[in-house]
Amino acid sequence: MDPTLLTLAGTAGTSLVTLLVAEGWQQTRDGVVTVWRRFRPETAEQVGRDLEASRANALDAVEAGDDAPGPAGRLEGQWVGRFAELLGEHPEAAEELRDLVEGWQRRSAAGGQEIRGDVRMEARAENNGRVYQAGREQHITGR
C-alpha cells in the first residue's frame, strides 16, 4: 500500500479514538459511516455499530479513570486497521477521508465546536423580557 495512504489511515484512526469521548461525537460517527456507505455500503451499518461499541469502551475507560494506553491503544489499532483496509481496497476514498480528518482537526482547533449548515433562530420576548441568541460564543455584561 502507498505510504501516504498508510499515514492517512494512521491519522484517521488516532483522531477518531481521540474524538470517541469528545463533544460532537454524532457528527464524527456520521462522517465515518458516510465514507463507508460510499465505498463499502454492505458494511456501513456494522461500522456504525462498531463505532458505538468503541465509544462505549472509551467512555467506560474514562469513567474508570483508566489512563493506561491499553484501551485507547487497542481501539486505535483497530480503527487504523479498518481505515487501512478501506483505503487498500478503495484508494479513491483517500480524498473523502482526508477531508473528514481535516474537519475533525478544524473542529478540535476551534474548541470542539463547528457550525455546519444554516442556523435558524427564533425568539420572542414579552413584558420587558430580553432575548440573547448566538450561533457560537456569547458574552453578556449586565448593567
Side-chain angles (χ1 to χ4, degrees), residues 23 33 38 60 67 92 107 126:
E23 286 187 38
V33 171
R38 179 157 156 67
D60 288 346
D67 295 344
E92 66 276 15
R107 194 169 74 217
E126 294 181 9

Side-chain angles (χ1 to χ4, degrees), residues 120-124 131 133:
R120 180 174 183 237
M121 295 185 274
E122 292 183 31
R124 190 171 105 203
V131 175
Q133 294 181 311

Side-chain angles (χ1 to χ4, degrees), residues 24-105:
W25 160 247
Q26 192 64 44
Q27 185 178 352
T28 301
R29 179 201 178 281
D30 291 349
V32 174
V33 171
T34 298
V35 170
W36 245 266
R37 192 169 284 127
R38 179 157 156 67
F39 296 99
R40 294 184 74 195
E42 67 282 358
T43 61
E45 295 306 315
Q46 182 61 48
V47 164
R49 288 188 293 274
D50 293 345
L51 285 165
E52 293 297 339
S54 293
R55 177 173 165 78
N57 289 338
L59 288 171
D60 288 346
V62 168
E63 189 174 306
D66 191 351
D67 295 344
R74 283 190 296 277
L75 288 172
E76 190 175 306
Q78 173 189 352
W79 286 104
V80 168
R82 295 202 57 183
F83 285 121
E85 183 180 318
L86 175 70
L87 292 170
E89 289 179 22
H90 300 281
E92 66 276 15
E95 185 175 337
E96 284 189 38
L97 185 57
R98 192 173 294 111
D99 289 346
L100 185 63
V101 170
E102 287 173 1
W104 295 342
Q105 291 169 343

Side-chain angles (χ1 to χ4, degrees), residues 121-125 128-135 138-143:
M121 295 185 274
E122 292 183 31
R124 190 171 105 203
N128 295 322
R130 294 181 184 174
V131 175
Y132 302 94
Q133 294 181 311
Q138 184 176 60
H139 302 277
I140 301 169
T141 56
R143 294 184 212 181

